[in-house]
Amino acid sequence: MRRLNKMFFYSALCILLIATSIKAQLETNGSFENSKLGVVTGSNVKGWIIQTATEITSAPIFEIINDNAIHGNNAIKIVVNGIGTNQWDVQLVADSIPVKKGVTYNCSVWAKTAKASAQINFTAGYYSTGEIKAIRPANLTTFWQKFSMQFTINEDQKFIRAPIHFSYSTNPGKTIYIDNFQISEVDPGKKPVVVQAESGKLGSNYSLLSDNTIKYISPKTNYTGLASPGDTSRIATYNITFPDSGTYNLFARIRVGANGFNDDSFFYAKNFGIMKDTASADWFFINGLAAGGFADTSAIVDAPGGLGNSVWKWVNVSKNNFAGGAGVTLSVGTDNLNKTFQIGSREDGLDIDKIAFGKANLLFSVNCLENGLPGKTVLKAVDSTLIWKGPAIASGQAKFLGNTEDPPKNIYSKYWNQITPGNAGKWASVAGSIDTTKWNWNTLDGIYNYALTNKMIFKDHTLIWGSQQPSWINGLDKTEQAKYIEAWIRMVGKRYPKMDMVDVVNEALPTHNPPDGNNGRANYKDALGGNGTTGYDWVIWAFEKARKYLPNVKLLLNDYGIVNDNSATNSYLTIINLLKSRGLIDGIGVQGHRFEFERADTNVLKSNLSKLGATGLPVYISEFDLGNLDNAGTPDDAQQLSLYKKIFPIIWKHPAVKGITFWGYIDGQMWQSTCGLIRSDYTSRPALTWLIDYVKNNPTDVKNISNSLPANYELQQNYPNPFNPTTTINYSIVKESNVRLDIYDILGRHVQTLVNGSQATGKYSVELNAGNLSSGIYFYTLRAGEFTMTKKMLLMK
């Protein structure tokens, strides 16, 4: 018997694929959860092929086990008894992985050894032409390690393979464990969402036609209205699932008829959802399509273009009205990625083949739109001084400033010291199947691990929320519903033991989004106890389970429309006090979207924050954004800055508020299109520049340490002194004054401002954290009205 030849294996496997019509697996079984326990061989592990060269007399043993996994319950154990001439003579192959040309993928696997010094090769390759990328060797330890690589598919191949080689001279007698193989596209949000026009629910005024291989829709009759479709027969409705939140441009592949400008208009909805057929406020009238468009595959569909009649072409209808002005972008929030969208017919000579949605911060060519390929970001040259380089805005403060991200970007930690998953933490995002072994935790894992690596506060969002839940939960009886919900909470607690806090229940008020089955919401409220004797037994049930399975995590309630509304605040306090009396709640979440704050009475905000703070629980502003009034028009820097100056100091300075989580920060990637704080080229908008300075000059660790009125201005010696790296500075203010407390180095250069603002008569204490300063002599100067005093301190590291 001769050994297995590598090229022979590639050829044989290709023949096998052709002969048996193997289809690409939909889930990779990367954690071996879909495999029976015990010794396995050949192809009896779903998604994998086990191969051993025939020359190896002491064959390896491959076994599925459930007592030593890094992910899920199962892993595969390989006992290497003997090796061959080649590293691939003993191998475990992730098989038939579907890929697309031009797409970049992340690929990773976890591995360890029972005894030190084992080695493996972790590879990915084409069936016909060989290896794409490899980690050779991967040196294993007795602890689980993750091995990761990234590669791009440059050949016309539909499937690849990922072999793991074990035939190393270091391995005989060693036991090796493999688990949690993953492969996924890099940043899927860059791809357009392309929808065939004929796939929607078509009104009776549409004809379904074909042109060779192209199926398209076309209006049967003309319509003279200019404001709305005017009749439901002229409306086509589409259900669309988006891969990511953000602001999207609308594109269409159309063909204008022979009558040119008499065949070139239609309506599209200004927002997602079901529009009223006669409501002009719901619709945008797009006209002049005979004068624009692109057909060349390399052309960027951004400007109007210049194609005419009787040709299939792509148009960007959000950026161009063609008859003058711009169209409308559409915003997808992190709360719900499933959307309904409508178009309306007008002129009977306009044929529509496809509509597409692409991120507003990206540029899409005709080829991208035709083939669903990622758009490109083209950054113009910018002044690098306008790009914030860190540290995080609230670094060293007693309160955090965080944000939401799915998944984290490379600049995130420059701005924020807390992170919340915007969509990945919701049950519907994880549990696409009723089978718990198929739940997809990948994105949430990435955000959690990013938080741990960057020493950020991690707040999960959210365990229970009626608005976005797995579709299969509604079909179960109450007992089964409760069982699965408890399993969900238990699995979150086990998987993320180092999380800091979690929104246990989101939007529980009866008129908001409880899981009561109304308005399309999940229907499992009664399974958790319903209203019961307290009115909120179901909320108490959820918090009891969270306390059981997440014992070291701060448990939060979260809701919207609270502090801008006295009645809502009082209703919210009813739930809070029920939970507090049972020792089940550790903090209060208050959403802070622009529509809650932009027209709010500031005295009402302060009063209701104080009501919540009177419970003794910390308050967290959970979803903060500000932009244009009503989010109307294009981003207005002056209007956003004005709103930040009005609202942000109220919540930042309020003693009950212990942290603020923004709900996005990059233009084109937010559900509120005018609320970005940095532009797509990463330069700061004026509101962010102001925010950074304001937080720096208004530290949250300044405390009034005495109610007695001082007789004199005083600046005390810092204590301890010398110090490393923190020290406390006490001072007294005789009358209300504008107060500044500044730090200078030995050369007189300004280093930091600890206090800058009006303070009432009193004695104050502020902590200096000099973790980012070098050892040496520093001076601190207090200015209050006409009083000025300077003292010296010594930092010794």
Side-chain angles (χ1 to χ4, degrees):
M1 299 293 289
R2 60 188 181 88
R3 64 181 176 85
L4 182 68
N5 179 273
K6 184 177 182 182
M7 289 309 296
F8 170 79
F9 167 72
Y10 281 148
S11 302
L13 191 54
C14 288
I15 294 170
L16 177 64
L17 285 169
I18 294 170
T20 59
S21 299
I22 293 175
K23 294 183 179 179
Q25 58 199 39
L26 296 178
E27 64 89 23
T28 63
N29 193 24
S31 291
F32 306 97
E33 303 300 308
N34 295 330
S35 302
K36 294 181 180 180
L37 301 181
V39 175
V40 289
T41 60
S43 59
N44 61 2
V45 179
K46 181 183 178 182
W48 298 85
I49 294 175
I50 297 168
Q51 294 185 321
T52 303
T54 55
E55 69 177 22
I56 299 176
T57 56
S58 298
I61 299 172
F62 290 79
E63 181 183 3
I64 305 296
I65 60 171
N66 68 350
D67 62 349
N68 203 359
I70 186 68
H71 181 271
N73 297 313
N74 295 354
I76 190 166
K77 179 175 75 172
I78 302 95
V79 179
V80 182
N81 293 315
I83 61 172
T85 307
N86 305 294
Q87 293 162 354
W88 58 83
D89 285 346
V90 179
Q91 63 179 357
L92 175 68
V93 184
D95 182 46
S96 298
I97 302 166
V99 293
K100 295 179 181 178
K101 185 178 180 180
V103 176
T104 300
Y105 294 87
N106 288 324
C107 190
S108 64
V109 71
W110 289 76
K112 74 171 187 175
T113 177
K115 295 181 181 179
S117 302
Q119 295 179 312
I120 63 173
N121 290 343
F122 175 40
T123 73
Y126 303 116
Y127 285 105
S128 56
T129 56
E131 199 168 88
I132 307 169
K133 192 74 176 282
I135 299 175
R136 180 182 292 108
N139 296 306
L140 307 188
T141 68
T142 56
F143 299 96
W144 282 109
Q145 293 181 85
K146 183 179 182 180
F147 298 93
S148 302
M149 58 189 178
Q150 188 177 93
F151 53 82
T152 302
I153 302 300
N154 295 317
E155 297 188 13
D156 288 318
Q157 303 286 343
K158 293 184 178 180
F159 308 108
I160 64 168
R161 58 200 296 272
I164 304 171
H165 303 151
F166 302 95
S167 184
Y168 264 99
S169 61
T170 57
N171 290 350
K174 301 286 176 62
T175 299
I176 296 171
Y177 299 89
I178 302 293
D179 197 6
N180 197 18
F181 170 83
Q182 297 180 16
I183 183 166
S184 59
E185 294 181 24
V186 174
D187 200 354
K190 288 185 176 181
K191 293 182 177 180
V193 180
V194 183
V195 182
Q196 297 291 334
E198 73 273 12
S199 68
K201 181 180 179 181
L202 305 179
S204 59
N205 190 53
Y206 283 102
S207 295
L208 177 58
L209 305 172
S210 63
D211 179 6
N212 294 322
T213 60
I214 300 173
K215 291 183 178 180
Y216 62 94
I217 62 173
S218 188
K220 295 178 181 178
T221 60
N222 273 324
Y223 173 58
T224 58
L226 300 175
S228 66
D231 191 295
T232 56
S233 69
R234 298 187 182 92
I235 295 175
T237 303
Y238 302 90
N239 294 317
I240 303 162
T241 299
F242 286 84
D244 194 14
S245 60
T247 303
Y248 286 79
N249 286 327
L250 174 67
F251 301 82
R253 188 173 192 257
I254 62 167
R255 182 173 60 183
V256 176
N259 292 322
F261 290 100
N262 290 320
D263 287 337
D264 71 338
S265 64
F266 71 102
F267 300 97
Y268 67 92
K270 291 182 179 179
N271 296 293
F272 292 110
I274 301 297
M275 303 293 108
K276 185 174 176 56
D277 56 341
T278 58
S280 60
D282 287 352
W283 298 93
F284 192 92
F285 173 52
I286 183 79
N287 197 10
L289 294 167
F294 300 88
D296 187 286
T297 56
S298 63
I300 302 298
V301 187
D302 192 62
L307 291 181
N309 309 335
S310 304
V311 59
W312 287 110
K313 59 186 181 180
W314 280 97
V315 292
N316 186 328
V317 295
S318 284
K319 297 194 75 171
N320 307 284
N321 189 18
F322 300 94
V328 175
T329 57
L330 295 130
S331 295
V332 177
T334 57
D335 291 339
N336 188 357
L337 300 179
N338 298 313
K339 298 294 182 182
T340 299
F341 184 71
Q342 295 183 309
I343 62 174
S345 68
R346 184 171 181 269
E347 293 178 313
D348 62 359
L350 182 69
D351 303 327
I352 302 178
D353 173 33
K354 301 171 186 175
I355 59 173
F357 303 84
K359 283 286 188 72
N361 64 312
L362 300 176
L363 298 176
F364 294 88
S365 67
V366 168
N367 186 47
C368 290
L369 296 169
E370 288 284 7
N371 297 295
L373 299 177
K376 304 293 184 182
T377 301
V378 179
L379 299 180
K380 61 182 180 180
V382 296
D383 182 351
S384 62
T385 62
L386 300 177
I387 300 176
W388 180 247
K389 297 177 177 61
I393 301 169
S395 217
Q397 298 277 11
K399 301 180 181 184
F400 65 73
L401 285 182
N403 218 306
T404 178
E405 198 69 63
D406 286 338
K409 301 292 190 293
N410 60 335
I411 63 168
Y412 190 95
S413 60
K414 294 180 180 179
Y415 295 90
W416 318 109
N417 59 356
Q418 180 267 333
I419 193 166
T420 293
N423 196 62
K426 299 184 179 76
W427 194 18
S429 298
V430 172
S433 166
I434 195 171
D435 184 348
T436 59
T437 66
K438 295 182 180 180
W439 288 6
N440 186 352
W441 303 88
N442 292 348
T443 304
L444 188 55
D445 283 352
I447 299 172
Y448 175 75
N449 290 328
Y450 183 88
L452 296 183
T453 300
N454 290 278
K455 296 180 173 58
M456 289 180 173
I457 297 168
F458 178 80
K459 179 172 79 71
D460 195 19
H461 175 79
T462 175
L463 297 179
I464 303 295
W465 184 42
S467 186
Q468 191 174 345
Q469 296 290 280
S471 58
W472 48 265
I473 192 69
N474 284 356
L476 305 180
D477 62 34
K478 293 178 183 178
T479 301
E480 286 291 294
Q481 286 180 330
K483 182 186 78 172
Y484 273 99
I485 293 164
E486 183 170 357
W488 156 242
I489 296 172
R490 182 180 68 249
M491 292 170 78
V492 169
K494 182 179 179 181
R495 195 175 190 89
Y496 308 114
K498 295 183 180 180
M499 76 165 70
D500 298 280
M501 53 187 75
V502 61
D503 295 328
V504 178
V505 178
N506 191 43
E507 300 176 3
L509 290 178
T511 59
H512 288 186
N513 282 301
D516 56 9
N518 296 324
N519 299 318
R521 295 190 286 262
N523 66 358
Y524 58 73
K525 189 175 97 170
D526 288 343
L528 311 187
N531 292 336
T533 57
T534 66
Y536 293 97
D537 279 15
W538 68 277
V539 177
I540 294 170
W541 183 98
F543 272 81
E544 286 174 342
K545 300 303 180 187
R547 183 68 84 202
K548 177 180 179 180
Y549 296 117
L550 293 83
N552 301 315
V553 178
K554 293 181 180 178
L555 306 183
L556 276 56
L557 187 69
N558 192 48
D559 215 322
Y560 69 88
I562 302 299
V563 292
N564 58 312
D565 185 316
N566 292 327
S567 176
T569 298
N570 292 334
S571 297
Y572 203 38
L573 283 166
T574 299
I575 311 176
I576 292 164
N577 288 326
L578 286 171
L579 296 169
K580 183 184 174 187
S581 67
R582 292 164 172 79
L584 295 174
I585 188 171
D586 305 304
I588 302 169
V590 177
Q591 294 180 26
H593 291 300
R594 55 142 203 92
F595 46 80
E596 300 169 86
F597 280 164
E598 61 190 21
R599 289 186 172 89
D601 184 321
T602 54
N603 290 321
V604 171
L605 296 180
K606 293 175 184 177
S607 173
N608 287 328
L609 284 171
S610 295
K611 285 182 186 178
L612 297 175
T615 63
L617 297 169
V619 177
Y620 300 97
I621 307 300
S622 59
E623 302 176 26
F624 186 74
D625 49 43
L626 288 171
N628 294 4
L629 291 171
D630 302 317
N631 199 41
T634 56
D636 185 324
D637 286 347
Q639 191 169 94
Q640 183 187 46
L641 177 60
S642 175
L643 287 171
Y644 263 87
K645 289 181 175 179
K646 171 187 174 184
I647 299 299
F648 187 81
I650 293 171
I651 56 179
W652 181 250
K653 286 188 173 182
H654 199 285
V657 176
K658 301 304 180 184
I660 303 170
T661 302
F662 290 70
W663 215 235
Y665 61 110
I666 303 175
D667 280 350
Q669 299 184 33
M670 296 184 64
W671 79 300
Q672 297 289 300
S673 58
T674 66
C675 293
L677 286 167
I678 69 173
R679 303 179 181 93
S680 58
D681 62 4
Y682 296 166
T683 57
S684 301
R685 292 183 66 189
L688 179 59
T689 302
W690 174 86
L691 177 69
I692 292 170
D693 289 339
Y694 181 84
V695 171
K696 175 183 176 182
N697 293 325
N698 290 272
T700 56
D701 50 2
V702 179
K703 302 175 183 177
N704 192 327
I705 58 175
S706 173
N707 292 324
S708 61
L709 299 181
N712 300 297
Y713 287 102
E714 184 180 9
L715 176 64
Q716 297 182 16
Q717 186 63 49
N718 65 299
Y719 180 83
N721 188 42
F723 67 98
N724 177 28
T726 60
T727 188
T728 299
I729 301 172
N730 295 324
Y731 60 93
S732 300
I733 304 299
V734 173
K735 63 180 180 179
E736 183 172 354
S737 310
N738 287 321
V739 178
R740 280 188 66 103
L741 181 60
D742 294 297
I743 310 299
Y744 300 89
D745 65 16
I746 196 170
L747 299 177
R749 294 175 297 196
H750 182 265
V751 172
Q752 188 174 346
T753 298
L754 294 181
V755 180
N756 183 17
S758 179
Q759 290 186 332
T761 304
K763 297 179 180 180
Y764 293 88
S765 175
V766 60
E767 183 179 83
L768 166 65
N769 187 330
N772 61 337
L773 300 180
S774 302
S775 297
I777 295 173
Y778 291 86
F779 299 91
Y780 56 102
T781 298
L782 177 70
R783 298 179 179 86
E786 297 180 357
F787 174 81
T788 300
M789 180 173 284
T790 300
K791 288 186 178 293
K792 182 171 66 174
M793 57 187 172
L794 177 61
L795 172 61
M796 296 181 65
K797 290 188 174 181

